[in-house]
Amino acid sequence: MSLKILIKKNTYFDSVSLMSISTKANQLPDVEQAFVAMATEMNKGVLRNLNLLTPELEEAKNGDLMILIVGSSDEKNEESLLAIEELFKKKPGAKGEHQAKYATVASAKENVPGSNLAVVSVNGAYAVREARAALEQGLNVMLFSDNVSVEDELALKQLAHSKGLLMMGPDCGTAIINNKALCFGNHVRQGNIGIIGASGTGSQELSVRIHDFGGGVSQLIGTGGRDLHEKIGGIMMLDAMRMLNADDQTKVIVLISKPPAASVEKKVLAEISRCSKPVVVCFIGGKEADVVKAGGVFAKSTKEAALKAVLLTGVKEEDLDLHPLNWPLIEEVRAKLKPEQKYIRGLFCGGTLCDEAMYAAMEKYPKVYSNIQLNPEYRLKDVSKSKEHTFLDFGDDDFTNGKPHPMIDPSNRIERLLQEARDPEVGVITMDFILGYGSHADPVGVMLDAIREAKAIAAKEERHLEILGYVLGTDLDRPNMQDQIERLSAAGVTIASSSANTGLLSREFVCKGEAK
């Protein structure tokens, strides 16, 4: 093993860029392992756990860039380093000119006339300062960065509220503003349905289902996952509701989140009652009565929320393909599974997709475990070991510490897929494959060899292993969604048509001794 280390002093790159570059670096032919990151204490801790933290790296400062390569030889490492440095070079603009760089938010605002939004993706230690600077310049903000305190988030949102600006985030991964997808987003039809989401993949799923049902999106405003917590009070969701209610293009509003804090839910429901436009509410695992009482339209799932929103725009239900559950397929799969194959294992890149599938299972089975379970009794104490029905969110901190998000690098699931395939009690393994801006260029391709190997492991033991896949995307996305689906099908994967159907099919496949 040969080790190559390069530290670039006072060289900053944002986390989104570095995650993408690190993923590509690890795909280079002569690289056993590559680590490209800022020299933060967290990243040093990851290297320490890997026994790769040298005294030289230990001395590096927060503003220094670390490039570490593990390869077969010094010569190969030098070649790999040159290839990695090429990844940092900016692509030219549409007319061949180089993209301008600005040292501060203020200089960017001054030199880009008409700009009104800043995307902030820097280390959490600096994110608050940059977001505040953008707000002070009169810019709406999408704050992709995480590791921002609740107190700082509250202060930023209060400042934005006072200025009538959007403060999306922190940890906001998805938005579509004026038909432009930001960070993780899909290419969807422009239309008259506005989405406000405290969930990134939940918002993505809503947007693609609306597109699938023939509707379109006016705006998709992310709030950040903590916005509906009691300490934040739903400031961004409430402001966004008022903005969309005043927006001439938006005719229907859809809210997507996990259940909010009780005090915040009251505020949201009160705002719904004041809204002049229909509001569809999809709080995953939430209850219907209070939503209806406030004048909202309740939706149990993202699919139902998208359908109700599209119908509210005037589309007729009989003109739509509703993708009902395929009961003949369910019976066919049940017949293939042995009596002991009674458990689901969900391996998800998207947190809300994991939640939606998990809640579907919880409606039918009493014991459902996860690394994101709200009920502590069923929260996995050791995420490396599954219990009975288990649903894993690989985008949670349990799996992403020092690693790219699985939407950028889905290969994080490979080892776990093979582990679950060896369990004789597993009947179905469920996975999502997320397309769109910012996501991996070929999420299916990364997993195909492992999928085939998992199938072979089960076949060798004369077991049928049902692998259920859901491709989140539209016909306008790249890579091509139909191509991704066809490649999965060719590898023996059953395809679900939506996140909601993914959860329902999973739970029904392993159901024993029950007719339709």
Side-chain angles (χ1 to χ4, degrees):
M1 180 185 80
S2 174
L3 186 66
K4 174 68 178 180
I5 294 171
L6 176 65
I7 297 174
K8 294 194 171 188
K9 299 288 186 182
N10 298 315
T11 304
Y12 182 81
F13 285 89
D14 67 90
S15 57
V16 176
S17 299
L18 291 180
M19 285 190 292
S20 178
I21 288 170
S22 190
T23 297
K24 293 173 183 175
N26 277 284
Q27 294 169 351
L28 293 172
D30 297 307
V31 170
E32 294 177 19
Q33 187 170 15
F35 192 85
V36 184
M38 299 306 297
T40 62
E41 290 306 312
M42 184 187 78
N43 289 332
K44 289 179 187 177
V46 174
L47 290 175
R48 189 178 293 112
N49 292 336
L50 296 171
N51 294 318
L52 292 173
L53 186 66
T54 66
E56 180 185 11
L57 292 169
E58 184 74 79
E59 291 298 316
K61 306 300 182 185
N62 272 348
D64 298 341
L65 174 67
M66 303 184 296
I67 302 176
L68 182 146
I69 305 167
V70 179
S72 58
S73 69
D74 292 347
E75 181 183 2
K76 293 294 185 184
N77 282 351
E78 290 295 338
E79 293 175 4
S80 296
L81 178 60
L82 290 174
I84 290 172
E85 290 187 314
E86 283 293 317
L87 296 174
F88 282 94
K89 293 183 177 178
K90 292 285 186 182
K91 293 181 179 180
K95 297 181 180 179
E97 75 276 7
H98 290 287
Q99 295 178 349
K101 297 181 181 179
Y102 303 102
T104 65
V105 171
S107 62
K109 176 71 164 61
E110 181 180 353
N111 286 281
V112 185
S115 58
N116 62 3
L117 186 146
V119 178
V120 177
S121 175
V122 300
N123 182 276
Y126 313 109
V128 175
R129 180 188 68 195
E130 298 304 324
R132 183 177 292 113
L135 291 170
E136 294 288 6
Q137 289 291 325
L139 296 168
N140 297 285
V141 172
M142 179 178 184
L143 182 53
F144 184 86
S145 309
D146 55 7
N147 294 311
V148 172
S149 72
V150 173
E151 292 74 19
D152 283 333
E153 177 177 350
L154 179 60
L156 288 172
K157 288 185 171 175
Q158 288 173 334
L159 175 60
H161 175 77
S162 70
K163 290 177 170 290
L165 297 169
L166 293 169
M167 178 59 233
M168 299 181 282
D171 199 19
C172 178
T174 300
I176 301 175
I177 305 298
N178 295 337
N179 206 34
K180 298 292 184 183
L182 304 175
C183 295
F184 298 121
N186 296 89
H187 192 167
V188 298
R189 188 182 300 106
Q190 191 169 18
N192 54 12
I193 299 173
I195 299 170
I196 306 170
S199 158
T201 51
S203 298
Q204 284 186 261
E205 173 65 5
L206 260 177
S207 70
V208 302
R209 293 278 66 77
I210 287 169
H211 180 94
D212 183 48
F213 287 135
V217 173
S218 58
Q219 310 287 345
L220 191 167
I221 300 173
T223 69
R226 290 188 309 213
D227 190 69
L228 299 183
H229 289 196
E230 188 164 5
K231 288 186 177 179
I232 305 299
I235 295 174
M236 183 69 264
M237 181 167 281
L238 294 170
D239 282 352
M241 288 173 68
R242 295 175 191 124
M243 290 178 184
L244 291 184
N245 193 44
D247 176 39
D248 290 337
Q249 186 181 349
T250 300
K251 303 304 179 187
V252 178
I253 300 170
V254 188
L255 311 181
I256 173 73
S257 174
K258 296 177 183 178
S263 61
V264 181
E265 185 173 22
K266 287 182 180 178
K267 295 179 183 178
V268 173
L269 293 174
E271 191 61 38
I272 289 172
S273 68
R274 291 189 288 267
C275 194
S276 63
K277 298 175 182 179
V279 181
V280 180
V281 181
C282 181
F283 291 158
I284 304 296
K287 296 179 180 178
E288 182 173 5
D290 290 340
V291 172
V292 174
K293 185 178 179 181
V297 179
F298 177 81
K300 184 177 179 181
S301 68
T302 49
K303 177 183 175 181
E304 184 180 338
L307 176 61
K308 287 185 174 181
V310 170
L311 294 177
L312 284 166
T313 67
V315 175
K316 295 181 179 179
E317 186 169 340
E318 56 265 30
D319 295 332
L320 300 176
D321 181 356
L322 302 182
H323 306 293
L325 279 187
N326 187 338
W327 281 99
L329 171 65
I330 291 169
E331 297 296 342
E332 180 183 330
V333 172
R334 287 178 181 177
K336 292 178 181 178
L337 298 178
K338 295 182 177 182
E340 62 270 22
Q341 289 181 275
K342 53 189 177 181
Y343 295 130
I344 309 162
R345 299 291 158 78
L347 312 179
F348 288 89
C349 295
T352 298
L353 306 187
C354 181
D355 258 326
E356 190 155 34
M358 178 175 68
Y359 275 102
M362 288 166 60
E363 290 175 349
K364 195 154 194 168
Y365 305 112
K367 295 181 179 180
V368 179
Y369 295 84
S370 175
N371 62 322
I372 57 172
Q373 255 279 19
L374 295 179
N375 185 339
E377 184 179 353
Y378 298 110
R379 193 176 183 97
L380 289 174
K381 294 178 174 59
D382 182 354
V383 297
S384 67
K385 297 177 183 177
S386 296
K387 293 178 65 175
E388 300 188 27
H389 301 293
T390 293
F391 293 81
L392 297 175
D393 172 13
F394 279 81
D396 193 65
D397 291 345
D398 293 320
F399 295 101
T400 58
N401 190 1
K403 297 179 181 179
H405 191 282
M407 286 168 63
I408 296 173
D409 182 10
S411 64
N412 290 346
R413 299 183 290 182
I414 288 175
E415 184 179 342
R416 192 54 171 264
L417 169 60
L418 300 179
Q419 176 183 320
E420 304 296 359
R422 295 186 184 98
D423 187 337
E425 291 189 308
V426 171
V428 57
I429 296 175
T430 302
M431 293 186 291
D432 56 354
F433 302 87
I434 301 175
L435 309 183
Y437 304 104
S439 295
H440 192 278
D442 184 12
V444 166
V446 172
M447 300 297 297
L448 279 179
D449 287 344
I451 288 170
R452 295 187 186 101
E453 185 176 350
K455 286 273 192 180
I457 288 170
K460 189 174 181 180
E461 297 177 1
E462 299 184 341
R463 287 184 285 117
H464 171 74
L465 177 64
E466 186 67 21
I467 298 182
L468 178 66
Y470 169 53
V471 179
L472 189 164
T474 75
D475 56 321
L476 302 177
D477 276 325
R478 293 293 177 269
N480 181 273
M481 183 176 69
Q482 190 56 39
D483 176 68
Q484 297 275 297
I485 289 172
E486 288 174 1
R487 291 164 71 195
L488 284 172
S489 297
V493 176
T494 298
I495 305 299
S497 60
S498 66
S499 173
N501 280 14
T502 300
L504 295 173
L505 286 171
S506 296
R507 81 178 190 191
E508 296 301 332
F509 283 160
V510 296
C511 186
K512 304 298 180 184
E514 181 181 307
K516 176 181 174 182

